[in-house]
Amino acid sequence: MDSNVETLLVIILLEVIVGFLFSFFIIIFLYVKVFQKKNMMTYIKILIPLNVSNISFTCMLAFNFIIGFLWPEAYTKTIVIQTLSYMTLYSITSSLWLSAVLCVFYFMKIVPSQPGVLITLKRRIDAVVLWLIILSEVVSLAGSFLSLLPSHSQTIQRNSSITTSELMEETKAKSLKFVIIVLLLNSLPFLVIIMTTIGSIGLLSLYNHQVQKNVMTTSGNTRVRDYGAAIQTMIGLLVFYVLLFLCIILSMLNVFSYWDIGYWLCVIFVFSNTTILPALLIYGNPGLKEAIKQMITR
């Protein structure tokens, strides 16, 4: 095996290990917090399934990569293709929809307490978030069945006289179909992330102006910092998912050849999801950041 490929594989392995540790740390920390307080706060209800989805996505990436790298013949088996396609699509969709729910939660926390529909939803945020999580998982589970729909390219399956060019066309058609389904299923949550991020930035600007104008107490400045961290997390999620889907599209549509550096950079960034997403969640949560600091300084 080429030394450059070995180096890239080591980088991917390190990303997976660090990401798993981050995600497991967040899950364990949040469960400990639940047991200590005897109740599950709203943001914990979002972060736990989001990190579970992140772990699931990482596992499916690893399975796809290992099979494609070490056992490409497995892709000729329909059951393998269908299982991997369904689980991969589910993990991607679940992660993005839950990230959208987190952005909605942050947005509702920043919404000022004034009469209106938003304040009514804010008062019932716990129930709203719970139903949004359930809806996210139902859409992810049901929508992922689209990956199992037969395509026109399957008419040439298992034909002994199939040529290499026909096989490549079939693979490309399947990849294109998968990319289209991913984009369709995730267009709404992506739009939600965009809108809530823009809305939160506007609300924080108004709140910060009020703090400076009224010379509010330290609690007001603390809220501005907390809201600012939440918005930075939302912006980070938005940028991250844009780059993630761009890399998925480029790699699946064979824009780069297998040995091209562009292909491997896309693969490395896709696997960086394992680390980047937990890092963004830790950054946006003061409790998690403090726990990390205590672990490092001990």
Side-chain angles (χ1 to χ4, degrees):
M1 186 182 294
D2 187 86
S3 60
N4 291 331
V5 176
E6 291 179 349
T7 302
L8 293 169
L9 290 175
V10 169
I11 293 173
I12 291 172
L13 179 61
L14 289 174
E15 285 182 325
V16 172
I17 292 173
V18 173
F20 266 119
L21 291 175
F22 271 7
S23 292
F24 276 121
F25 167 78
I26 293 176
I27 292 171
I28 293 171
F29 173 81
L30 293 176
Y31 269 118
V32 170
K33 199 166 185 179
V34 169
F35 286 126
Q36 287 177 342
K37 295 193 174 183
K38 306 299 182 182
N39 67 328
M40 185 176 287
M41 299 177 68
T42 305
Y43 76 92
I44 295 180
K45 294 179 182 178
I46 306 171
L47 294 183
I48 289 178
L50 180 53
N51 278 278
V52 171
S53 291
N54 184 50
I55 292 173
S56 173
F57 183 39
T58 304
C59 290
M60 296 318 302
L61 286 176
F63 285 145
N64 278 284
F65 189 76
I66 291 171
I67 290 175
F69 195 79
L70 300 178
W71 189 30
E73 296 83 7
Y75 284 117
T76 61
K77 303 179 184 298
T78 303
I79 186 64
V80 173
I81 296 175
Q82 290 181 339
T83 302
L84 288 177
S85 297
Y86 179 86
M87 293 303 299
T88 302
L89 183 57
Y90 165 73
S91 59
I92 296 173
T93 306
S94 176
S95 179
L96 186 56
W97 276 79
L98 289 171
S99 296
V101 174
L102 181 64
C103 289
V104 170
F105 170 74
Y106 283 148
F107 172 73
M108 296 305 297
K109 295 294 286 185
I110 299 174
V111 168
S113 299
Q114 296 177 353
V117 176
L118 289 179
I119 191 58
T120 302
L121 293 175
K122 185 173 182 177
R123 289 171 181 167
R124 301 176 181 176
I125 188 63
D126 191 64
V128 170
V129 164
L130 179 60
W131 280 108
L132 287 176
I133 292 173
I134 294 173
L135 176 63
S136 298
E137 292 307 296
V138 170
V139 171
S140 301
L141 287 168
S144 297
F145 280 106
L146 292 174
S147 65
L148 306 181
L149 294 176
S151 61
H152 176 70
S153 62
Q154 288 178 331
T155 57
I156 62 173
Q157 273 188 342
R158 288 185 168 81
N159 189 336
S160 57
S161 62
I162 186 173
T163 64
T164 303
S165 61
E166 287 176 328
L167 183 60
M168 290 178 63
E169 284 298 320
E170 180 185 4
T171 303
K172 189 173 182 180
K174 289 179 179 178
S175 298
L176 179 60
K177 169 194 164 187
F178 185 82
V179 168
I180 291 173
I181 293 173
V182 168
L183 295 178
L184 286 175
L185 278 179
N186 293 287
S187 57
L188 179 57
F190 188 73
L191 181 63
V192 169
I193 293 176
I194 294 175
M195 298 304 294
T196 52
T197 301
I198 294 174
S200 297
I201 292 173
L203 290 173
L204 181 62
S205 299
L206 291 175
Y207 187 80
N208 189 36
H209 177 71
Q210 290 178 351
V211 170
Q212 294 177 351
K213 182 179 178 180
N214 300 328
V215 193
M216 296 176 72
T217 60
T218 306
S219 62
N221 293 320
T222 302
R223 283 190 176 184
V224 170
R225 287 195 299 269
D226 291 342
Y227 292 162
I231 290 175
Q232 288 173 9
T233 300
M234 296 166 74
I235 294 172
L237 288 172
L238 179 60
V239 173
F240 167 70
Y241 280 116
V242 168
L243 296 176
L244 177 65
F245 283 116
L246 179 62
C247 288
I248 290 175
I249 292 170
L250 292 176
S251 59
M252 292 204 67
L253 297 184
N254 298 320
V255 175
F256 302 109
S257 62
Y258 184 74
W259 296 107
D260 190 52
I261 186 64
Y263 170 82
W264 284 98
L265 287 177
C266 286
V267 172
I268 288 173
F269 184 82
V270 170
F271 272 94
S272 70
N273 160 81
T274 317
T275 306
I276 294 177
L277 185 57
L280 288 172
L281 299 179
I282 290 171
Y283 179 80
N285 189 289
L288 289 172
K289 280 196 294 185
E290 186 61 30
I292 290 286
K293 287 180 182 179
Q294 291 177 2
M295 290 179 61
I296 295 174
T297 54
R298 281 181 181 177

